């Protein structure tokens, strides 16, 4: 893959980020298990460390021109894991919602969960509903946590509704998808996957049509705000043609 990010030493004196950037950054937060195993810790300790990495990244995102941040917390495919591991992830998520909602409120963060809710434990569903209701007016950052999420499932659900629609445009389909997902459906500018694997794993397949991809070797608990800042910086150097011609090209 061409898009491996070169983790080069960056100078301490970096130019300011382009202030006007309004980005949707989506992250496949992978590598918690390997991070823990390499330290002789339990996998759930890896997920706890991953939650802390998420807190750090969420805090810095608005300062990097990010208006929407979508984190892949639990894939629908992850139900294949041992029940105790899935239960630990769901418990950590519930604690996160209960502990961080007031911080989200203070910081103007609107929080939504995208994904299926019908298979989640009732107390978690309640914590989600409370967090979403309390933070609904946040306008600095739209934080979306993908939980029991499968892009194919969302697309299938949207298609099942869309066949009855009268406006058959792609925009109208995007609106139906946004409704199905509850937390909207904005095009992704930057897709990051930590942990060294280079695949999409059924994440935001519609929204990533023109995303710039960054596959990052570090495991998620080691990912820092500086790593995110470096990626945003590299993204700003890339030329996005979305099918058009590069600036230099002439016909
Ligand atoms: C990703 O880390 C976090 C979740 C799926 C919740 P993994 O648990 O997939 O970590 P590895 O890939 O086994 O290292
Ligand atoms: Mg993994």
């Amino acid at each position: 893959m061409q898009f491996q990010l070169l983790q080069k030493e960056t100078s301490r004196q970096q130019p300011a980020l382009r202030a006007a950037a309004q980005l949707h950054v989506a992250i496949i937060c992978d590598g918690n298990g390997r991070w823990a195993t390499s330290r002789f810790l339990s996998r759930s300790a890896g997920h706890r460390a991953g939650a802390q990495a998420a807190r750090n990244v969420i805090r810095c995102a608005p300062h990097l021109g990010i208006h929407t941040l979508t984190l892949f917390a639990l894939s629908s495919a992850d139900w294949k894991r041992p029940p105790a591991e899935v239960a630990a992830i769901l418990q950590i998520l519930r604690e996160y919602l209960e502990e961080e909602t007031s911080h989200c409120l203070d910081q103007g963060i609107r929080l939504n969960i995208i994904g299926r809710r019908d298979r989640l434990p009732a107390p978690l569903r309640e914590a989600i509903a409370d967090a979403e209701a309390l933070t609904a007016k946040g306008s600095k950052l739209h934080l979306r946590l993908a939980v029991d999420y499968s892009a194919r499932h969302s697309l299938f659900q949207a298609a099942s509704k869309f066949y009855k629609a009268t406006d058959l445009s792609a925009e109208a389909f995007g609106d139906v998808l946004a409704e199905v997902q509850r937390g909207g459906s904005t095009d992704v500018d930057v897709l990051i996957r930590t942990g060294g694997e280079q695949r999409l794993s059924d994440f935001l397949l519609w929204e990533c049509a023109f995303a710039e991809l960054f596959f990052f070797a570090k495991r998620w608990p080691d990912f820092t705000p500086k790593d995110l800042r470096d990626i945003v910086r590299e993204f700003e150097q890339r030329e996005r043609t979305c099918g058009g011609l590069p600036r230099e090209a002439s016909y």
Side-chain angles (χ1 to χ4, degrees):
M1 248 325 203
Q2 297 279 334
F3 295 128
Q4 186 74 37
L5 184 79
L6 296 174
Q7 292 183 33
K8 47 186 181 269
E9 262 316 295
T10 45
S11 112
R12 277 168 199 282
Q13 299 260 308
Q14 293 168 326
L17 288 165
R18 250 187 271 153
Q22 282 292 300
L23 304 175
H24 179 185
V25 174
I27 310 182
I28 301 174
C29 308
D30 196 18
N32 293 351
R34 280 163 284 161
W35 181 92
T37 306
S38 69
R39 287 165 176 75
F40 307 102
L41 298 170
S42 66
R43 289 182 62 87
S44 55
H47 296 309
R48 282 205 179 275
Q52 188 51 49
R55 282 182 171 89
N56 298 340
V57 161
I58 292 163
R59 278 178 164 73
C60 82
H63 307 291
L64 299 177
I66 295 171
H67 68 71
T68 302
L69 179 67
T70 307
L71 303 179
F72 207 174
L74 184 75
S75 155
S76 295
D78 289 339
W79 291 107
K80 290 187 207 125
R81 296 180 180 215
E85 180 172 346
V86 178
I89 294 169
L90 295 175
Q91 174 63 25
I92 291 166
L93 182 66
R94 190 176 148 201
E95 286 168 21
Y96 174 84
L97 293 173
E98 288 169 357
E99 287 163 13
E100 291 291 310
T101 299
S102 63
H103 168 258
C104 290
L105 203 55
D106 290 347
Q107 299 299 307
I109 299 173
R110 173 179 157 217
L111 195 148
N112 278 122
I113 301 295
I114 60 168
R116 293 181 62 165
R117 299 188 188 195
D118 56 309
R119 301 192 289 190
L120 301 179
L124 177 57
R125 284 207 302 268
E126 281 160 28
I128 290 171
D130 289 348
E132 288 184 331
L134 276 164
T135 63
K137 293 207 168 75
S139 59
K140 291 227 171 71
L141 176 71
H142 188 191
L143 171 62
R144 308 188 318 157
L145 302 178
V147 178
D148 195 0
Y149 176 82
S150 152
R152 274 194 178 176
H153 180 80
S154 287
L155 287 165
F156 181 75
Q157 294 277 96
S160 307
K161 285 190 162 200
F162 191 61
Y163 85 98
K164 293 187 212 137
T166 43
D167 174 2
L168 294 179
S169 66
E171 287 73 23
F173 182 78
D175 291 344
V176 176
L177 185 61
E179 203 182 294
V180 163
Q181 291 187 162
R182 295 186 186 219
S185 162
T186 326
D187 275 2
V188 173
D189 299 297
V190 178
L191 176 75
I192 302 167
R193 182 177 188 134
T194 60
E197 309 291 344
Q198 301 191 351
R199 51 179 173 260
L200 295 179
S201 298
D202 200 10
F203 190 44
L204 302 175
L205 299 180
W206 175 269
E207 295 87 341
C208 281
F210 291 100
E212 293 288 331
L213 309 183
F214 293 83
F215 295 109
F216 206 74
K218 270 189 184 177
R219 291 155 184 172
W220 175 244
D222 289 329
F223 191 82
T224 65
K226 179 177 180 304
D227 294 325
L228 181 59
R229 189 184 168 96
D230 289 348
I231 287 173
V232 169
R233 232 172 251 291
E234 182 173 327
F235 167 79
E236 289 180 338
Q237 304 308 314
R238 291 190 186 179
E239 189 173 356
R240 301 175 83 198
T241 61
C242 297
L245 293 181
R247 272 191 297 273
E248 300 299 310
S250 56
Y251 181 71

